[in-house]
Amino acid sequence: MEFRQVMMRRLILLGAPGAGKGTQAQALEERYHIPQISTGDILRAAVKQGSPLGHQAKSYMDAGELVPDSLIVDLIRARLQEPDTEPGWILDGFPRTPVQAEALDNLLQELGQSLEGVVLVDVPEPVLMERLVGRRTCTVCQKVCHVKFNPPPVNGCGREDCPHQWVQRSDDREDVVPTRLAAYHRNTEPLINYYQAKDKLHRVDGNRPSEDVLATLTNLLGPVV
Ligand SMILES: [Zn+2]
């Protein structure tokens, strides 16, 4: 494992479903006070606020169409100019393709910002499989547990205000997960190559306890200032 101390505060987090990316992003957000910016969240927020961009996005979503890259870039442009992004940001879910990565490069140049690194939380396929297939989600509070690693308590999941109905989400089914993972790899490989060619990619071994993964990530990001 190679460590380059670069004081990353503007970064992209990549990882397959089940790689633990969400958990790590949340921990980094708390530690460094840099917001995690997910395309899904921005879209939902814009639609909810009823902003002009939100209205445009909603018309695509209502029609069951993909929101075009240019509109996503406009939303990210607005988001990256909000004051809480001053200390840095973690992009999650964008870019997804090399074309989007180029659009992001252009946007950041326009904003006078730079992408300091791309972190790939790397987890072997069989481990992802086991993590996803064993996952159970409470249909009421959306809490997640795992049949083997974090078994649901017999009498509820710890939240007293919830009846806790554990189910396996349809996209965590054993017959669906391989397709999901194959799609992830197919879509993400070109992006990984793109950032590797720019010498921005950091691979982090995600097949470890989450606190160990976090330790490696904080090593990459540098000390809290
Ligand atoms: Zn619950």
Side-chain angles (χ1 to χ4, degrees), residues 62-148:
D62 286 349
E65 288 170 29
L66 277 179
V67 178
D69 284 1
S70 59
L71 185 48
I72 305 239
V73 169
D74 286 344
L75 285 161
I76 292 175
R77 177 186 291 108
R79 183 67 187 88
L80 292 184
Q81 292 179 86
E82 285 175 32
D84 66 324
T85 62
E86 185 70 31
W89 38 258
I90 303 169
L91 270 184
D92 171 20
F94 185 90
R96 285 191 196 278
T97 63
V99 171
Q100 289 185 349
E102 277 176 38
L104 178 66
D105 288 343
N106 294 335
L107 170 62
L108 292 177
Q109 196 172 15
E110 176 197 322
L111 296 176
Q113 300 189 18
S114 64
L115 174 67
E116 288 152 0
V118 177
V119 178
L120 171 65
V121 181
D122 216 359
V123 176
E125 198 88 2
V127 178
L128 293 172
M129 219 19 223
E130 189 182 25
R131 286 185 184 177
L132 291 169
V133 171
R135 193 153 76 172
R136 298 293 179 271
T137 308
C138 173
T139 53
V140 185
C141 71
Q142 304 304 314
K143 195 180 157 91
V144 172
C145 64
H146 192 281
V147 289
K148 183 172 157 195

Side-chain angles (χ1 to χ4, degrees), residues 137-199:
T137 308
C138 173
T139 53
V140 185
C141 71
Q142 304 304 314
K143 195 180 157 91
V144 172
C145 64
H146 192 281
V147 289
K148 183 172 157 195
F149 306 124
N150 180 21
V154 183
N155 299 311
C157 66
R159 275 189 56 165
E160 285 161 15
D161 55 342
C162 178
H164 318 293
Q165 294 177 330
W166 298 108
V167 295
Q168 184 180 44
R169 269 176 24 186
S170 58
D171 56 354
D172 288 339
R173 277 188 359 226
E174 197 165 1
D175 55 332
V176 177
V177 168
T179 316
R180 252 176 104 191
L181 292 178
Y184 164 80
H185 288 299
R186 193 172 54 241
N187 295 331
T188 315
E189 278 313 318
L191 197 59
I192 290 170
N193 296 337
Y194 179 89
Y195 285 121
Q196 206 150 30
K198 290 185 177 277
D199 200 25

